[in-house]
Amino acid sequence: MKTVPEMQRSNLAMIVIQLKAMGIDNVLFDFMSPPPAESMIRALELLYALNALDDSAKLTENIGSKMAEFPIDPTLAKMLLTSAEYGCSEEMVTIAAMLTVQSVFVYPKDARKKADAIRRQFAVKEGDHLTLLNGKIFL
């Protein structure tokens, strides 16, 4: 069984923004294992939607260049940059940190019901992100 290269199965937004930050404007060069064209298009569209790229697909000065400095997914970088405007940076840093790890909820095999009961104490109907934020008090 042949392993599919990472470049062909990943979200390319982080790679594209890093290439743009290094001054490589033509990100469609010949890769050793080229990603699917749709993946590259999705990455460019996402970065444009986040205002990281302008109409010419160049990195924007105000947001894009700042986003490229973050070693995280561009959507999380945009969330962190925007959070200052809303006065919720601490909460967004917590949520971003929790989203970058595999799982913050550990369920011991012998205590699954107890773990579920504890998790329900801080679960909120507004969604998983706020549940993660509420879960911070248990860490």
Side-chain angles (χ1 to χ4, degrees):
M1 177 187 270
K2 183 180 175 185
T3 303
V4 179
E6 179 80 15
M7 179 68 84
Q8 295 181 355
R9 56 187 166 88
S10 298
N11 175 355
L12 301 179
M14 191 166 174
I15 294 166
V16 170
I17 199 168
Q18 291 302 312
L19 290 170
K20 296 283 188 178
M22 291 188 300
I24 301 172
D25 284 326
N26 181 12
V27 295
L28 300 173
F29 55 85
D30 291 330
F31 291 94
M32 284 179 47
S33 299
E38 306 86 48
S39 296
M40 190 64 79
I41 290 168
R42 275 195 306 272
L44 291 165
E45 287 175 342
L46 173 65
L47 293 171
Y48 181 78
L50 293 172
N51 293 323
L53 299 179
D54 63 16
D55 292 338
S56 304
K58 302 250 190 248
L59 205 58
T60 57
E61 288 292 322
N62 55 346
I63 297 291
S65 58
K66 290 177 185 174
M67 286 172 57
E69 293 177 19
F70 285 84
I72 56 175
D73 185 87
T75 54
L76 295 177
K78 176 70 181 255
M79 177 184 77
L80 292 174
L81 289 169
T82 306
S83 68
E85 297 172 26
Y86 297 99
C88 59
S89 294
E90 183 178 337
E91 292 85 354
M92 291 301 105
V93 167
T94 299
I95 291 171
M98 291 180 146
L99 289 172
T100 57
V101 296
Q102 190 167 4
S103 178
V104 295
F105 300 113
V106 179
Y107 294 101
K109 290 181 183 178
D110 58 339
R112 179 85 174 170
K113 287 185 180 183
K114 184 178 179 181
D116 282 339
I118 292 171
R119 185 173 185 265
R120 279 193 298 275
Q121 290 176 2
F122 56 88
V124 294
K125 64 180 178 182
E126 289 82 10
D128 293 340
H129 294 102
L130 293 180
T131 296
L132 289 171
L133 185 59
N134 285 341
K136 174 185 171 187
I137 62 172
F138 289 97
L139 299 177

